[in-house]
Amino acid sequence: MTNSQRPYGNSRTPLPPVQTPADGVPTPRTRTPEGSRPAPGGRQRDAFFDNAKYLAIVLVAVGHAWGQLLDDGAVETAYRVVYTFHMPAFILISGYFSRSFDLRAKHVQRLITGVVVPYVVFETAYSLFQRYGNDEPEHGITLLDPTYHLWFLCALFVWRITTPVWRTVRHPLPVSLVLAALGSVSPQIGDDLELQRVLQFLPFFVLGLTLRPEHFRMVKRRSVRLASVPVFVAAAVTAWATIPYMRLGWLYHSDSAQELGTAWWTGPVMVWATLGCSLVMTVCFLAWVPRRRMWFTSLGAGTIYGYLLHAFLVRAGNYTGFYDQPALHEPLGVLGLTVFAAAAVTLLCTRPVQRALHCVVEPRMEWAFRRDAGEAARVREQPRPVEVRAPGEKVSV
């Protein structure tokens, strides 16, 4: 997710064919934009989205590190600002790249191998890590209660499998906002599969489904970039001022209003308000994402590896009492932890890690699926190659 390609130079240069990547999003036949590069299979990656994904995963890792030091007001302020937009940005991009998902066999297979299998593998791994690393022999393994950050895989499965529904209804975004509000007043939903987050973050995925390339071009305007500066400043001031009054659960979107100790009617109000703030902050974040290839652009293809693995380091720090060290609660300690978290997740997104864990994060598993009948028919219909022999050449038996 290698060097930039020059745009096609003249009208006689043939345009590349339409390619459909594994995630089911067709790459349009268009001239190569600046900052893009070809990906395996002939399709092209957009450097902007790879940069956005890498920067977002760095913020995820840094946010999880800061989450262990929330006794410091400055750290909690930065934490609240980051939590306003880092997952919404991820979800928005996930929705954008799910626009062509349907229930065809190849898309369902990709959903199973790219979401379900990693969830089962890493949910089991994190449960075992807690059992033995934290000396909790009674800790069980369950696939219904996602560990820490793995809720996103559960949510992505539900969102993507329902994509045909959102592509069919006339007004998908208002419907998703209603469902998010209903989730915020329904404590009986419980914690299974983190369905509260599935519902309350749903509007960002649906919004991503409705976006088009021109919308992202609007975000990249210089005027938007300049306007985002005072917005970030205002967000920081607001985050600092609301620390005594606003619980972090409103940013996690993991509980109902009643579970957060407020009246039921505050649920829709707070959910819509926080989602609106998250949208503004996401636009401001995307406005500052570089459009050209950077040294970290290729790491954008491996963000799922960083996302799945970095929490082992966070959990190890919890189990060993690492975050209790007084030095970490000093400004230099916070800075050092921030740099370490960013560097660690960067390493986890690199090609060596991808090659080592590809079998469990992005397995092919062709043995587990029946061959698509349509694909088999197309293969049978392909003309067999004609063997050409030189005069007098014998045919080997």
Side-chain angles (χ1 to χ4, degrees), residues 130-279:
Q130 183 166 348
R131 176 186 296 181
Y132 298 108
N134 201 33
D135 194 21
E136 296 183 20
E138 73 285 354
H139 184 79
I141 300 175
T142 174
L143 299 180
L144 295 179
D145 187 14
T147 298
Y148 201 35
H149 62 312
L150 295 182
W151 69 268
F152 179 68
L153 294 184
C154 295
L156 186 59
F157 176 83
V158 175
W159 294 332
R160 190 162 286 177
I161 206 72
T162 59
T163 293
V165 175
W166 305 115
R167 300 286 294 172
T168 301
V169 299
R170 186 180 296 273
H171 302 294
L173 190 57
V175 173
S176 68
L177 287 170
V178 171
L179 290 176
L182 292 175
S184 70
V185 297
S186 305
Q188 62 271 26
I189 289 178
D191 297 326
D192 290 349
L193 299 180
E194 291 283 353
L195 291 181
Q196 279 288 358
R197 279 173 164 161
V198 173
L199 291 175
Q200 294 189 36
F201 276 118
L202 173 64
F204 273 97
F205 184 82
V206 174
L207 177 61
L209 291 174
T210 65
L211 295 180
R212 294 293 180 267
E214 53 266 27
H215 295 126
F216 288 97
R217 286 195 291 270
M218 293 171 60
V219 169
K220 300 174 189 177
R221 292 175 178 173
R222 186 172 181 269
S223 58
V224 179
R225 191 179 305 118
L226 294 177
S228 67
V229 175
V231 173
F232 272 113
V233 173
V237 172
T238 303
W240 176 80
T242 56
I243 288 178
Y245 311 106
M246 178 178 166
R247 297 182 62 175
L248 282 169
W250 293 115
L251 295 179
Y252 297 151
H253 293 288
S254 58
D255 296 297
S256 65
Q258 296 91 323
E259 292 171 308
L260 291 173
T262 62
W264 69 267
W265 58 266
T266 61
V269 174
M270 288 299 296
V271 165
W272 289 339
T274 52
L275 290 179
C277 293
S278 295
L279 178 59

Side-chain angles (χ1 to χ4, degrees), residues 276-341:
C277 293
S278 295
L279 178 59
V280 173
M281 293 295 291
T282 299
V283 170
C284 294
F285 165 71
L286 294 176
W288 281 94
V289 172
R291 290 171 285 181
R292 63 184 186 279
R293 283 191 54 77
M294 309 291 288
W295 64 267
F296 53 78
T297 301
S298 61
L299 299 176
T303 51
I304 184 62
Y305 293 83
Y307 187 83
L308 292 173
L309 293 169
H310 80 279
F312 280 113
L313 300 176
V314 180
R315 285 301 176 97
N318 291 133
Y319 300 159
T320 60
F322 172 76
Y323 301 108
D324 296 330
Q325 299 182 60
L328 289 179
H329 297 265
E330 299 295 331
L332 287 179
V334 173
L335 178 60
L337 183 62
T338 301
V339 173
F340 174 78

Side-chain angles (χ1 to χ4, degrees), residues 4-10 13-15 30-36 44:
S4 303
Q5 298 247 329
R6 294 175 61 87
Y8 293 99
N10 54 65
T13 304
L15 294 174
T30 183
R31 299 181 185 276
T32 308
E34 183 180 359
S36 299
Q44 293 166 353

Side-chain angles (χ1 to χ4, degrees), residues 342-379:
V345 78
T346 297
L347 291 175
L348 294 176
C349 294
T350 57
R351 290 295 178 87
V353 176
Q354 294 180 43
R355 287 193 292 266
L357 295 178
H358 190 274
C359 60
V360 294
V361 178
E362 298 177 286
R364 296 184 62 85
M365 294 181 60
E366 295 178 349
W367 54 269
F369 304 108
R370 290 183 294 183
R371 191 173 185 182
D372 181 41
E375 180 183 353
R378 288 191 295 271
V379 172

